Amino acid sequence: IAAGAAIAFWLPGTADPYQSPRLLALGAAAHWLLTRPAGGRSSLEPYLLAGLGAWLIAAIAAKDATYAVVGSYLSPFDCLTAVLIYAALVIGAARTGAGGGAAAEAVVLAALPVAAYAILQRAAGGNDPLLPAPLPTLRAVATQGSPIYLGTILAMAGACAAGIAPRRPRLALGAAVLILPALACTGTRGAILGAAVAALWLIPRRLAILALVA
């Protein structure tokens, strides 16, 4: 439900521009999860902490480190505070026994209608009946308001699809049929590169050559 709400039902015209209520709600949920009795550290934590460390180094080294750490005035949802809250949510959920596989499937399923929306948006030449004006470029935005944000969502969904491929091959293949073309429709180079690296790391090794060619 949370994945669907975050991915499929976020529209620029209805979202709070400051994102403060959303971040407060997510922070409260993370606090509740982290303070519940836990069954020990999850195997996800070392990877999450390593990713946080790499993100922090990149943020501090960025040309505009203040933006990366604090966030812009109207968009604090991509700053250090938001990233820490999201990581705390994942760590808290994993500690309480929530299965990573189930979470990955939820992300994939929630991303499918968004991916289809992006493809249709591109096929219509940027003319979307839900938007007040045509897209300034042909780069799809779907429900996210920006091709960069959409690319990030689809890259994560693609990584989740690659991760569940060994046990849910049909779902992973069906997701790839929608997610990969939609990702291409965003024209977001960083997201495309990130999805490629994730796929090479996560998919079954026998498919690695095929993925590299793709």
Side-chain angles (χ1 to χ4, degrees):
I1 294 173
I7 297 175
F9 302 110
W10 189 92
L11 288 170
T14 60
D16 164 46
Y18 295 95
Q19 301 288 317
S20 302
R22 179 181 296 185
L23 288 180
L24 286 173
L26 291 175
H31 180 267
W32 179 74
L33 286 170
L34 288 172
T35 53
R36 292 185 65 193
R41 291 185 61 184
S42 164
S43 59
L44 288 173
E45 288 191 38
Y47 298 100
L48 281 168
L49 295 176
L52 278 175
W55 192 94
L56 182 59
I57 292 172
I60 294 175
K63 183 177 181 180
D64 189 352
T66 301
Y67 170 80
V69 176
V70 180
S72 68
Y73 180 63
L74 291 177
S75 304
F77 54 87
D78 54 356
C79 67
L80 176 62
T81 302
V83 171
L84 290 175
I85 289 174
Y86 301 146
L89 273 170
V90 177
I91 291 173
R95 284 187 177 183
T96 57
E105 289 182 20
V107 171
V108 170
L109 291 172
L112 292 182
V114 176
Y117 183 10
I119 294 171
L120 291 173
Q121 199 174 53
R122 177 66 178 268
N127 294 308
D128 188 330
L130 298 180
L131 297 177
L135 297 176
T137 66
L138 286 180
R139 298 173 66 186
V141 302
T143 59
Q144 299 302 306
S146 164
I148 297 174
Y149 300 149
L150 176 61
T152 303
I153 291 290
L154 294 176
M156 290 189 290
C160 288
I164 66 173
R167 58 189 181 84
R168 295 294 301 274
R170 291 183 179 179
L171 175 59
L173 180 60
V177 170
L178 281 177
I179 291 174
L180 293 180
L183 183 58
C185 289
T186 68
T188 304
R189 294 165 295 180
I192 293 171
L193 177 61
V197 172
L200 289 173
W201 180 263
L202 292 169
I203 65 172
R205 289 296 176 260
R206 65 180 182 275
L207 299 177
I209 299 299
L210 178 60
L212 183 61
V213 172

